[in-house]
Amino acid sequence: MATSKITYNGGLRTTSVHLQSGTEIITDAPVDNKGKGEAFSPTDLLATSLGNCMLTIIGIAAGEHGFNIDGTTCEITKIMAKEGPRRVAEIVVDFHFPANDYSDKVKAIIERSAHTCPVAYSIHPDIKKTVTFNY
């Protein structure tokens, strides 16, 4: 079964529907690429997916190992290549964990989990991934 259905709406905007849930995501081309920038761009979603996946995998590990990450935030910065074809050159992921006095063992689980998420493994190795963990 298909995962999603995408419709081009015109004006460099698309609507994606997650077929299992019916949830919709709208994308616009960014302002620096002839778009309105009124929604996530496709490359914004690529970068944001890395943070979403990392947090999800850390959440799974938290449940398995008995620690809590509720309230954790993650800021994503997408950096486009300055030369060559238009592409994402780097994704900066900046985690901010609540004050839970995590042990060194828990921090190691968190960091290993983040770096082994499926999206991290799926992003081309030429895209630099810079990840910081603020506890």
Side-chain angles (χ1 to χ4, degrees), residues 1-6 16-25:
M1 178 177 174
T3 301
S4 59
K5 181 177 180 181
I6 304 167
S16 302
V17 178
H18 181 252
L19 296 177
Q20 185 174 348
S21 68
T23 303
E24 292 186 2
I25 298 173

Side-chain angles (χ1 to χ4, degrees), residues 74-104:
C74 175
E75 293 180 4
I76 302 295
T77 303
K78 173 193 75 176
I79 300 169
M80 299 298 287
K82 299 197 185 310
E83 297 177 5
R86 186 168 175 80
R87 63 183 179 81
V88 175
E90 181 178 3
I91 302 170
V92 178
V93 183
D94 190 23
F95 287 103
H96 295 271
F97 291 86
N100 283 347
D101 197 26
Y102 296 112
S103 69
D104 288 342

Side-chain angles (χ1 to χ4, degrees), residues 20-126:
Q20 185 174 348
S21 68
T23 303
E24 292 186 2
I25 298 173
I26 294 172
T27 66
D28 273 334
V31 175
D32 67 349
N33 198 27
K34 303 180 175 124
K36 296 176 186 175
E38 295 175 346
F40 284 103
S41 72
T43 54
D44 291 341
L45 290 177
L46 170 77
T48 300
S49 290
L50 179 59
N52 288 328
C53 189
M54 287 179 160
L55 275 173
T56 300
I57 298 302
I58 295 168
I60 291 169
E64 290 174 350
H65 295 278
F67 61 90
N68 189 321
I69 65 161
D70 292 359
T72 299
T73 62
C74 175
E75 293 180 4
I76 302 295
T77 303
K78 173 193 75 176
I79 300 169
M80 299 298 287
K82 299 197 185 310
E83 297 177 5
R86 186 168 175 80
R87 63 183 179 81
V88 175
E90 181 178 3
I91 302 170
V92 178
V93 183
D94 190 23
F95 287 103
H96 295 271
F97 291 86
N100 283 347
D101 197 26
Y102 296 112
S103 69
D104 288 342
K105 179 182 177 182
V106 167
K107 289 177 183 178
I109 292 168
I110 288 171
E111 294 173 22
R112 184 177 56 251
S113 298
H115 290 293
T116 58
C117 83
V119 172
Y121 282 137
S122 300
I123 291 174
H124 194 281
D126 287 352

